[in-house]
Amino acid sequence: MLLSLKLENLVLIEKARITFGSGLNILTGETGAGKSVLLAAIRLISGEKGSSDWIRYDAASAVVEAEIFPYPAFPEELEAPPPGEPLLIRRELFRSNKSRCFIQDNLVSAGFLRKFIRPILEIVDQNSSQYLCEPESQRKMLDTFADLESFVLEFGRSFEEEVQLKKRLHQALEANSRSKEDLSYAQSSLK
């Protein structure tokens, strides 16, 4: 669960800290109240792409920090927070359009952050219905509903193994064909 969100130099916000309640949190307000900025901050800590346009006009960088508790099993390659302490995630954006992602002060890739945070945080907005229209999303939902994830993984491994075997067979057939051509050429040279 997202406990708090701290923003620095994000769009028009110089500094802000938002504490969330347990359970469902809904962001509402008038146009221009800053809902989109908060949503952008949450997307940043979810590993989504950011933009240097989001940095406050008078700053060199923007920082978004989040505290999350509880959180999933921690990867061995990263330093875990002390037991009972929240997980700290930080995202930094720079004018050069570069960004950095941190989990507990461990530098990680945006892709790693996305995979790590996906089971923890779900963002639902007015564009979420587009996700439902994607065939890949529909397949994943059906597989999950039917409890087929392990079969899907096994099928994927089998398919990849078949692709590799076909590739090796094709290479072996090409090598055999070249060997036959070389042998034919050698035999014709001897005559």
Side-chain angles (χ1 to χ4, degrees):
M1 177 177 91
L2 183 60
L3 299 177
S4 70
L5 196 60
K6 183 177 153 188
L7 314 173
E8 289 182 21
N9 300 319
L10 193 64
V11 188
L12 295 175
I13 299 173
E14 186 176 0
K15 282 190 180 189
R17 183 179 173 88
I18 300 110
T19 303
F20 296 95
S22 62
L24 176 67
N25 288 271
I26 298 173
L27 302 174
T28 64
E30 295 181 24
T31 302
K35 300 178 300 290
S36 297
V37 176
L38 293 177
L39 198 53
I42 293 170
R43 289 189 192 299
L44 282 172
I45 61 144
S46 298
E48 292 188 22
K49 189 168 174 55
S51 169
S52 63
D53 294 340
W54 298 354
I55 299 171
R56 187 177 156 90
Y57 67 92
D58 61 349
S61 65
V63 178
V64 177
E65 292 182 1
E67 291 182 328
I68 296 175
F69 191 85
Y71 45 86
F74 216 76
E76 292 179 13
E77 63 266 22
L78 301 179
E79 183 183 330
E85 292 291 316
L87 171 72
L88 300 175
I89 294 178
R90 184 174 75 251
R91 186 77 183 268
E92 300 171 348
L93 291 177
F94 300 98
R95 289 268 176 219
S96 63
N97 254 347
K98 299 216 186 252
S99 71
R100 296 190 308 180
C101 307
F102 296 88
I103 299 176
Q104 284 301 112
D105 286 327
N106 297 290
L107 183 63
V108 296
S109 69
F112 184 90
L113 179 59
R114 266 191 307 276
K115 282 170 52 176
F116 179 78
I117 206 82
R118 188 168 286 141
I120 303 172
L121 193 60
E122 181 178 2
I123 301 169
V124 180
D125 65 6
Q126 60 203 25
N127 298 321
S128 295
S129 60
Q130 292 174 354
Y131 171 79
L132 298 174
C133 296
E134 297 171 358
E136 179 68 15
S137 303
Q138 293 171 358
R139 186 190 59 76
K140 285 181 181 178
M141 285 185 271
L142 284 172
D143 290 343
T144 301
F145 179 76
D147 198 24
L148 298 174
E149 290 99 339
S150 60
F151 295 108
V152 170
L153 287 172
E154 182 60 34
F155 179 80
R157 283 192 287 269
S158 297
F159 180 78
E160 185 59 35
E161 184 179 340
E162 179 185 3
V163 167
Q164 293 302 319
L165 288 172
K166 283 182 177 179
K167 184 178 177 181
R168 287 177 46 202
L169 175 62
H170 181 72
Q171 290 170 342
L173 290 173
E174 281 184 347
N176 185 37
S177 176
R178 281 192 303 271
S179 294
K180 284 182 179 179
E181 288 173 5
D182 290 347
L183 178 63
S184 176
Y185 178 75
Q187 287 175 340
S188 68
S189 300
L190 293 174
K191 293 181 183 177

mmCIF file of all heavy atoms in Angstrom, residues 136-163:
data_model
loop_
_atom_site.group_PDB
_atom_site.id
_atom_site.type_symbol
_atom_site.label_atom_id
_atom_site.label_comp_id
_atom_site.label_asym_id
_atom_site.label_seq_id
_atom_site.Cartn_x
_atom_site.Cartn_y
_atom_site.Cartn_z
ATOM 1 N N GLU A 136 -3.415 -8.835 -25.697
ATOM 2 C CA GLU A 136 -2.461 -9.403 -24.746
ATOM 3 C C GLU A 136 -2.992 -9.275 -23.315
ATOM 4 O O GLU A 136 -2.870 -10.198 -22.507
ATOM 5 C CB GLU A 136 -1.101 -8.704 -24.874
ATOM 6 C CG GLU A 136 -0.048 -9.189 -23.914
ATOM 7 C CD GLU A 136 0.422 -10.617 -24.170
ATOM 8 O OE1 GLU A 136 0.141 -11.164 -25.258
ATOM 9 O OE2 GLU A 136 1.055 -11.192 -23.271
ATOM 10 N N SER A 137 -3.606 -8.154 -22.992
ATOM 11 C CA SER A 137 -4.186 -7.946 -21.660
ATOM 12 C C SER A 137 -5.346 -8.898 -21.427
ATOM 13 O O SER A 137 -5.477 -9.476 -20.341
ATOM 14 C CB SER A 137 -4.670 -6.514 -21.503
ATOM 15 O OG SER A 137 -3.627 -5.610 -21.733
ATOM 16 N N GLN A 138 -6.182 -9.072 -22.427
ATOM 17 C CA GLN A 138 -7.321 -9.978 -22.295
ATOM 18 C C GLN A 138 -6.846 -11.407 -22.059
ATOM 19 O O GLN A 138 -7.396 -12.133 -21.225
ATOM 20 C CB GLN A 138 -8.196 -9.899 -23.540
ATOM 21 C CG GLN A 138 -8.873 -8.563 -23.702
ATOM 22 C CD GLN A 138 -9.574 -8.410 -25.036
ATOM 23 O OE1 GLN A 138 -9.532 -9.303 -25.892
ATOM 24 N NE2 GLN A 138 -10.220 -7.272 -25.240
ATOM 25 N N ARG A 139 -5.811 -11.813 -22.801
ATOM 26 C CA ARG A 139 -5.281 -13.168 -22.625
ATOM 27 C C ARG A 139 -4.746 -13.362 -21.217
ATOM 28 O O ARG A 139 -5.004 -14.374 -20.569
ATOM 29 C CB ARG A 139 -4.176 -13.448 -23.655
ATOM 30 C CG ARG A 139 -3.689 -14.902 -23.618
ATOM 31 C CD ARG A 139 -2.448 -15.108 -24.454
ATOM 32 N NE ARG A 139 -1.335 -14.290 -24.033
ATOM 33 C CZ ARG A 139 -0.578 -14.539 -22.958
ATOM 34 N NH1 ARG A 139 -0.832 -15.547 -22.178
ATOM 35 N NH2 ARG A 139 0.431 -13.754 -22.654
ATOM 36 N N LYS A 140 -4.006 -12.374 -20.719
ATOM 37 C CA LYS A 140 -3.451 -12.480 -19.362
ATOM 38 C C LYS A 140 -4.551 -12.568 -18.317
ATOM 39 O O LYS A 140 -4.456 -13.346 -17.366
ATOM 40 C CB LYS A 140 -2.536 -11.291 -19.061
ATOM 41 C CG LYS A 140 -1.200 -11.372 -19.744
ATOM 42 C CD LYS A 140 -0.328 -10.183 -19.394
ATOM 43 C CE LYS A 140 1.004 -10.270 -20.111
ATOM 44 N NZ LYS A 140 1.842 -9.105 -19.826
ATOM 45 N N MET A 141 -5.610 -11.764 -18.494
ATOM 46 C CA MET A 141 -6.719 -11.817 -17.529
ATOM 47 C C MET A 141 -7.408 -13.178 -17.554
ATOM 48 O O MET A 141 -7.732 -13.737 -16.496
ATOM 49 C CB MET A 141 -7.718 -10.696 -17.815
ATOM 50 C CG MET A 141 -7.216 -9.334 -17.380
ATOM 51 S SD MET A 141 -8.449 -8.048 -17.587
ATOM 52 C CE MET A 141 -8.111 -7.538 -19.268
ATOM 53 N N LEU A 142 -7.626 -13.713 -18.756
ATOM 54 C CA LEU A 142 -8.254 -15.031 -18.854
ATOM 55 C C LEU A 142 -7.365 -16.119 -18.254
ATOM 56 O O LEU A 142 -7.851 -17.003 -17.535
ATOM 57 C CB LEU A 142 -8.563 -15.363 -20.321
ATOM 58 C CG LEU A 142 -9.767 -14.653 -20.920
ATOM 59 C CD1 LEU A 142 -9.841 -14.904 -22.419
ATOM 60 C CD2 LEU A 142 -11.044 -15.099 -20.245
ATOM 61 N N ASP A 143 -6.084 -16.055 -18.534
ATOM 62 C CA ASP A 143 -5.155 -17.037 -17.970
ATOM 63 C C ASP A 143 -5.147 -16.964 -16.445
ATOM 64 O O ASP A 143 -5.123 -17.991 -15.767
ATOM 65 C CB ASP A 143 -3.740 -16.829 -18.511
ATOM 66 C CG ASP A 143 -3.618 -17.189 -19.979
ATOM 67 O OD1 ASP A 143 -4.507 -17.895 -20.507
ATOM 68 O OD2 ASP A 143 -2.632 -16.753 -20.609
ATOM 69 N N THR A 144 -5.174 -15.751 -15.917
ATOM 70 C CA THR A 144 -5.187 -15.576 -14.467
ATOM 71 C C THR A 144 -6.497 -16.094 -13.881
ATOM 72 O O THR A 144 -6.502 -16.817 -12.884
ATOM 73 C CB THR A 144 -4.987 -14.091 -14.093
ATOM 74 O OG1 THR A 144 -3.741 -13.659 -14.634
ATOM 75 C CG2 THR A 144 -4.987 -13.891 -12.597
ATOM 76 N N PHE A 145 -7.609 -15.738 -14.502
ATOM 77 C CA PHE A 145 -8.919 -16.168 -14.022
ATOM 78 C C PHE A 145 -9.023 -17.686 -14.020
ATOM 79 O O PHE A 145 -9.568 -18.282 -13.083
ATOM 80 C CB PHE A 145 -10.025 -15.561 -14.883
ATOM 81 C CG PHE A 145 -11.402 -15.973 -14.454
ATOM 82 C CD1 PHE A 145 -11.982 -15.402 -13.327
ATOM 83 C CD2 PHE A 145 -12.117 -16.925 -15.165
ATOM 84 C CE1 PHE A 145 -13.249 -15.785 -12.911
ATOM 85 C CE2 PHE A 145 -13.378 -17.315 -14.760
ATOM 86 C CZ PHE A 145 -13.953 -16.740 -13.632
ATOM 87 N N ALA A 146 -8.510 -18.335 -15.066
ATOM 88 C CA ALA A 146 -8.582 -19.792 -15.181
ATOM 89 C C ALA A 146 -7.449 -20.492 -14.440
ATOM 90 O O ALA A 146 -7.334 -21.718 -14.501
ATOM 91 C CB ALA A 146 -8.567 -20.185 -16.656
ATOM 92 N N ASP A 147 -6.589 -19.711 -13.759
ATOM 93 C CA ASP A 147 -5.462 -20.255 -12.998
ATOM 94 C C ASP A 147 -4.530 -21.082 -13.897
ATOM 95 O O ASP A 147 -4.154 -22.206 -13.576
ATOM 96 C CB ASP A 147 -5.965 -21.088 -11.826
ATOM 97 C CG ASP A 147 -4.885 -21.313 -10.777
ATOM 98 O OD1 ASP A 147 -3.943 -20.486 -10.716
ATOM 99 O OD2 ASP A 147 -4.964 -22.314 -10.024
ATOM 100 N N LEU A 148 -4.193 -20.488 -15.037
ATOM 101 C CA LEU A 148 -3.371 -21.172 -16.035
ATOM 102 C C LEU A 148 -1.949 -20.619 -16.140
ATOM 103 O O LEU A 148 -1.228 -20.996 -17.062
ATOM 104 C CB LEU A 148 -4.039 -21.081 -17.416
ATOM 105 C CG LEU A 148 -5.402 -21.741 -17.561
ATOM 106 C CD1 LEU A 148 -5.990 -21.438 -18.924
ATOM 107 C CD2 LEU A 148 -5.294 -23.244 -17.346
ATOM 108 N N GLU A 149 -1.541 -19.740 -15.220
ATOM 109 C CA GLU A 149 -0.232 -19.094 -15.354
ATOM 110 C C GLU A 149 0.907 -20.101 -15.463
ATOM 111 O O GLU A 149 1.810 -19.947 -16.280
ATOM 112 C CB GLU A 149 0.050 -18.140 -14.186
ATOM 113 C CG GLU A 149 -0.789 -16.903 -14.180
ATOM 114 C CD GLU A 149 -1.963 -17.016 -13.218
ATOM 115 O OE1 GLU A 149 -2.368 -18.150 -12.863
ATOM 116 O OE2 GLU A 149 -2.471 -15.964 -12.820
ATOM 117 N N SER A 150 0.862 -21.185 -14.657
ATOM 118 C CA SER A 150 1.952 -22.165 -14.705
ATOM 119 C C SER A 150 1.976 -22.886 -16.050
ATOM 120 O O SER A 150 3.039 -23.170 -16.595
ATOM 121 C CB SER A 150 1.840 -23.169 -13.561
ATOM 122 O OG SER A 150 0.622 -23.878 -13.640
ATOM 123 N N PHE A 151 0.792 -23.156 -16.618
ATOM 124 C CA PHE A 151 0.728 -23.803 -17.935
ATOM 125 C C PHE A 151 1.236 -22.864 -19.025
ATOM 126 O O PHE A 151 1.896 -23.292 -19.968
ATOM 127 C CB PHE A 151 -0.705 -24.251 -18.244
ATOM 128 C CG PHE A 151 -1.218 -25.311 -17.324
ATOM 129 C CD1 PHE A 151 -2.180 -25.005 -16.385
ATOM 130 C CD2 PHE A 151 -0.726 -26.605 -17.378
ATOM 131 C CE1 PHE A 151 -2.654 -25.960 -15.526
ATOM 132 C CE2 PHE A 151 -1.184 -27.581 -16.524
ATOM 133 C CZ PHE A 151 -2.153 -27.262 -15.582
ATOM 134 N N VAL A 152 0.903 -21.584 -18.898
ATOM 135 C CA VAL A 152 1.361 -20.585 -19.866
ATOM 136 C C VAL A 152 2.885 -20.500 -19.851
ATOM 137 O O VAL A 152 3.530 -20.462 -20.904
ATOM 138 C CB VAL A 152 0.717 -19.205 -19.589
ATOM 139 C CG1 VAL A 152 1.366 -18.115 -20.422
ATOM 140 C CG2 VAL A 152 -0.773 -19.255 -19.846
ATOM 141 N N LEU A 153 3.468 -20.484 -18.637
ATOM 142 C CA LEU A 153 4.931 -20.443 -18.538
ATOM 143 C C LEU A 153 5.558 -21.687 -19.151
ATOM 144 O O LEU A 153 6.546 -21.597 -19.879
ATOM 145 C CB LEU A 153 5.357 -20.305 -17.075
ATOM 146 C CG LEU A 153 5.139 -18.944 -16.440
ATOM 147 C CD1 LEU A 153 5.427 -19.005 -14.938
ATOM 148 C CD2 LEU A 153 6.014 -17.900 -17.092
ATOM 149 N N GLU A 154 4.986 -22.852 -18.866
ATOM 150 C CA GLU A 154 5.518 -24.105 -19.412
ATOM 151 C C GLU A 154 5.393 -24.123 -20.932
ATOM 152 O O GLU A 154 6.313 -24.529 -21.634
ATOM 153 C CB GLU A 154 4.788 -25.301 -18.796
ATOM 154 C CG GLU A 154 5.310 -26.637 -19.272
ATOM 155 C CD GLU A 154 6.780 -26.863 -18.958
ATOM 156 O OE1 GLU A 154 7.260 -26.400 -17.907
ATOM 157 O OE2 GLU A 154 7.471 -27.496 -19.791
ATOM 158 N N PHE A 155 4.258 -23.650 -21.449
ATOM 159 C CA PHE A 155 4.078 -23.582 -22.895
ATOM 160 C C PHE A 155 5.106 -22.643 -23.518
ATOM 161 O O PHE A 155 5.689 -22.945 -24.560
ATOM 162 C CB PHE A 155 2.658 -23.120 -23.247
ATOM 163 C CG PHE A 155 2.431 -23.003 -24.731
ATOM 164 C CD1 PHE A 155 2.166 -24.116 -25.491
ATOM 165 C CD2 PHE A 155 2.506 -21.765 -25.357
ATOM 166 C CE1 PHE A 155 1.971 -24.011 -26.861
ATOM 167 C CE2 PHE A 155 2.318 -21.647 -26.721
ATOM 168 C CZ PHE A 155 2.049 -22.770 -27.474
ATOM 169 N N GLY A 156 5.327 -21.495 -22.869
ATOM 170 C CA GLY A 156 6.318 -20.541 -23.370
ATOM 171 C C GLY A 156 7.709 -21.145 -23.432
ATOM 172 O O GLY A 156 8.437 -20.958 -24.405
ATOM 173 N N ARG A 157 8.071 -21.881 -22.375
ATOM 174 C CA ARG A 157 9.390 -22.541 -22.378
ATOM 175 C C ARG A 157 9.469 -23.591 -23.477
ATOM 176 O O ARG A 157 10.474 -23.698 -24.179
ATOM 177 C CB ARG A 157 9.665 -23.180 -21.013
ATOM 178 C CG ARG A 157 10.061 -22.191 -19.944
ATOM 179 C CD ARG A 157 10.590 -22.884 -18.708
ATOM 180 N NE ARG A 157 9.540 -23.527 -17.938
ATOM 181 C CZ ARG A 157 8.866 -22.956 -16.944
ATOM 182 N NH1 ARG A 157 9.133 -21.726 -16.589
ATOM 183 N NH2 ARG A 157 7.938 -23.621 -16.297
ATOM 184 N N SER A 158 8.394 -24.385 -23.642
ATOM 185 C CA SER A 158 8.382 -25.418 -24.690
ATOM 186 C C SER A 158 8.466 -24.791 -26.076
ATOM 187 O O SER A 158 9.178 -25.290 -26.949
ATOM 188 C CB SER A 158 7.106 -26.259 -24.594
ATOM 189 O OG SER A 158 7.063 -26.951 -23.383
ATOM 190 N N PHE A 159 7.726 -23.698 -26.264
ATOM 191 C CA PHE A 159 7.748 -23.014 -27.562
ATOM 192 C C PHE A 159 9.150 -22.490 -27.864
ATOM 193 O O PHE A 159 9.659 -22.656 -28.975
ATOM 194 C CB PHE A 159 6.733 -21.872 -27.580
ATOM 195 C CG PHE A 159 6.709 -21.125 -28.884
ATOM 196 C CD1 PHE A 159 6.065 -21.654 -29.987
ATOM 197 C CD2 PHE A 159 7.337 -19.894 -29.009
ATOM 198 C CE1 PHE A 159 6.051 -20.973 -31.193
ATOM 199 C CE2 PHE A 159 7.328 -19.208 -30.208
ATOM 200 C CZ PHE A 159 6.678 -19.748 -31.302
ATOM 201 N N GLU A 160 9.787 -21.858 -26.865
ATOM 202 C CA GLU A 160 11.141 -21.323 -27.057
ATOM 203 C C GLU A 160 12.124 -22.460 -27.362
ATOM 204 O O GLU A 160 13.004 -22.323 -28.211
ATOM 205 C CB GLU A 160 11.582 -20.547 -25.818
ATOM 206 C CG GLU A 160 12.924 -19.868 -25.968
ATOM 207 C CD GLU A 160 12.992 -18.875 -27.124
ATOM 208 O OE1 GLU A 160 11.978 -18.205 -27.412
ATOM 209 O OE2 GLU A 160 14.062 -18.777 -27.747
ATOM 210 N N GLU A 161 11.957 -23.586 -26.679
ATOM 211 C CA GLU A 161 12.821 -24.750 -26.933
ATOM 212 C C GLU A 161 12.628 -25.259 -28.356
ATOM 213 O O GLU A 161 13.596 -25.590 -29.049
ATOM 214 C CB GLU A 161 12.491 -25.862 -25.925
ATOM 215 C CG GLU A 161 13.404 -27.065 -26.035
ATOM 216 C CD GLU A 161 13.074 -28.137 -25.009
ATOM 217 O OE1 GLU A 161 12.423 -27.827 -23.990
ATOM 218 O OE2 GLU A 161 13.477 -29.292 -25.237
ATOM 219 N N GLU A 162 11.361 -25.294 -28.829
ATOM 220 C CA GLU A 162 11.088 -25.725 -30.196
ATOM 221 C C GLU A 162 11.739 -24.779 -31.203
ATOM 222 O O GLU A 162 12.337 -25.223 -32.183
ATOM 223 C CB GLU A 162 9.573 -25.784 -30.445
ATOM 224 C CG GLU A 162 9.231 -26.203 -31.869
ATOM 225 C CD GLU A 162 7.748 -26.148 -32.173
ATOM 226 O OE1 GLU A 162 6.966 -25.728 -31.311
ATOM 227 O OE2 GLU A 162 7.387 -26.509 -33.304
ATOM 228 N N VAL A 163 11.645 -23.487 -30.966
ATOM 229 C CA VAL A 163 12.258 -22.497 -31.865
ATOM 230 C C VAL A 163 13.763 -22.728 -31.935
ATOM 231 O O VAL A 163 14.355 -22.717 -33.023
ATOM 232 C CB VAL A 163 11.937 -21.057 -31.382
ATOM 233 C CG1 VAL A 163 12.801 -20.032 -32.088
ATOM 234 C CG2 VAL A 163 10.459 -20.750 -31.583
#
